[in-house]
Amino acid sequence: MQYTLQSSSLPEVAQESVDILLILLSSKFLPESSTPGVVSQIEQSILDTVIAQDFNPQKTGQFYSTWYLPSTKAKRTVLLACETLSNQHIANALKELSGKFSFHEAKTVCIYLPESGAGNVESALTTFAQLNYVYRATKPSAIKSQLSKVILATPQADSLQTEFSYALARIKGEQLAKDLANQPANLMTPSNLAQTALSLTEYANLSCTIRSQEEIEKLQMGAFLAVAKGSREPTKFIELQYKAPESSSPPIILVGKGITFDSGGLSLKPAQGMEEMKSDMSGAACVLGVFRALGLLQPRVHVIGLIPACENMPDGNAVKPGDVVTSMSGKTIEILNTDAEGRLILCDALTYAKKFSPKLVIDIATLTGACVVALGYLHTGMYANDDDLSQKMQAAGKAAQDTCWPLPLDDEYAQGLKSDFADLSNIATGRYRGAAGSITAAKFLHEFVDYPWIHLDIAGSARTAKGSSGRPVGMLLHFILAQTLDN
Ligand code: BES
Ligand code: MN
Ligand code: ZN
């Protein structure tokens, strides 16, 4: 797919010989609010259509598609109501087209933005890309989109080049995250995740190390290894580094949960919906997506990615409820429920992260069903041990339209993690059994960090009704790129 950003007025855009011209309209195109005086031919055509078709630019998502709009050269013109040209309205309007209008048969599409405030280009392009995403990896019969060229036209494009290139990198990152998380567990194994990570080294300044079982044993990641014991797929620990040559700052570390299938282990999950646990590596997929975007953008940052990758399976050799294991930190853990495996693989990665003296560690994990109960599919659950970081992450989420919501880390919530047989238990017991599950999981991780830290529970936000959402690649990119300005 080739994307171009172009400075054009509406009359200029009307001269584009494209298959589809998609014009985003705000309420400025209400007949009563249009400025009297000289109106271009195309503006007149639009105003005529608005009246003739009883089309209301204020009704976000309403659209009118015609094979011929007078004074345009496009084969088809689509008017799309956006009410205002806010990022939210643009995204909502485009999402409304989903299932109602398809761009797959067009080869060339021109999207016209009458104005472009901060984030408009990114909002339009990323939402448009989401709309056209088709999963093909295991479905060769899926619709093959003909689309090869997308022009984003707006009157003043000159100052938007950075935002544009950034949107394209984000799209590529999100697409990778989706493709990985949507693939079935028989294909998207820890080895396959590792291969994908290695393939990213084609980008400049990006390096990757894969550690196998024996090396993970040498590192004494006892909690991670306990989860992996029940699986016959080789376990991997993936380490990625993106370091701009000019960057000498301590790294930001992204830790992604890479459970390629979560059966629950011996604490087996119910059959109903178990297939969804193929995407329990969405945190890992997000980390890989962010690295792809960094590779494309080459910003002045230093980022390390850590992915513990394995399956959680029941087996004669699997870890058993009541087993006590020693984590890399030296803390012992009583595994009361083998289905609370994410925190076990993450705690060792969080301990490993210390060796880099990180500026900040962010972990990303489909950690708890309780987070879906709390926040549904809208916001990522966000925990931070520093208020300033919390605010920065929330701001990044808003700017990216990939939002998070802060949840608390009070020590009270760690009460239930006490164990009679180990330093910690992996699920809350007593009064906190089954209560505040996303928070008690966060508190478990909190026990392993002694640096600035953010935990993102993406159990809800990582998916849509149709599969992976590619989130929170957008939020993390915004967050990381904001750091280039800080240091
Ligand atoms: N991967 C699941 C969490 C999950 C649930 C993600 C639904 C996406 C959708 C995690 O490993 C898990 O099983 N968590 C348990 C924890 C419990 C045993 C304390 C859960 O949420 O039920
Ligand atoms: Mn689980
Ligand atoms: Zn899991």
Side-chain angles (χ1 to χ4, degrees), residues 257 259 262 277 280 339 341-342 366:
K257 173 177 173 183
I259 294 288
D262 182 11
M277 288 300 121
D280 210 17
D339 197 12
E341 85 296 340
T366 45

Side-chain angles (χ1 to χ4, degrees), residues 122 126 130 166-180 254 282-294 297 364 380 393 396-397 400-403 456 458 461-462 468-481:
E122 184 185 343
T126 53
Q130 277 155 26
Y166 168 53
L168 299 193
R170 172 176 171 184
I171 289 169
K172 292 277 187 194
E174 287 178 339
Q175 273 168 357
L176 177 63
K178 284 192 233 188
D179 280 340
L180 298 176
L254 305 179
S282 295
C286 169
V287 172
L288 295 172
V290 170
F291 270 82
R292 186 184 196 184
L294 293 175
L297 283 172
I364 308 109
T380 292
M393 191 56 84
Q401 295 184 285
D402 177 359
T403 53
L456 301 174
I458 59 166
S461 59
S468 168
S469 64
R471 290 174 64 188
V473 168
M475 176 170 73
L476 286 171
L477 265 185
H478 269 265
F479 182 90
I480 291 168
L481 295 182

Side-chain angles (χ1 to χ4, degrees), residues 257 259 261-264 267 269 273 276-277 279-281 312 336-343 365-372 377 426-428 434 437-438 440-441 457-460 462-463:
K257 173 177 173 183
I259 294 288
F261 190 72
D262 182 11
S263 71
S267 312
K269 285 185 181 294
E276 285 173 8
M277 288 300 121
S279 61
D280 210 17
M281 33 54 76
N312 184 25
L336 288 176
N337 189 321
T338 65
D339 197 12
E341 85 296 340
R343 61 197 79 181
T366 45
L367 204 61
T368 65
C371 190
V372 190
Y377 303 94
N426 80 324
I427 58 163
S438 177
T440 56
D457 194 334
I458 59 166
R463 52 175 155 169

Side-chain angles (χ1 to χ4, degrees), residues 24-27 60 81-94 113-124 127 401:
L24 307 190
L25 295 184
S26 67
S27 30
T60 306
C82 290
E83 189 180 348
T84 70
L85 292 167
S86 69
N87 295 339
Q88 192 72 50
H89 281 141
I90 290 172
N92 288 348
L94 285 164
L113 262 178
E115 296 161 26
S116 37
N120 282 182
V121 166
E122 184 185 343
S123 182
T127 316
Q401 295 184 285

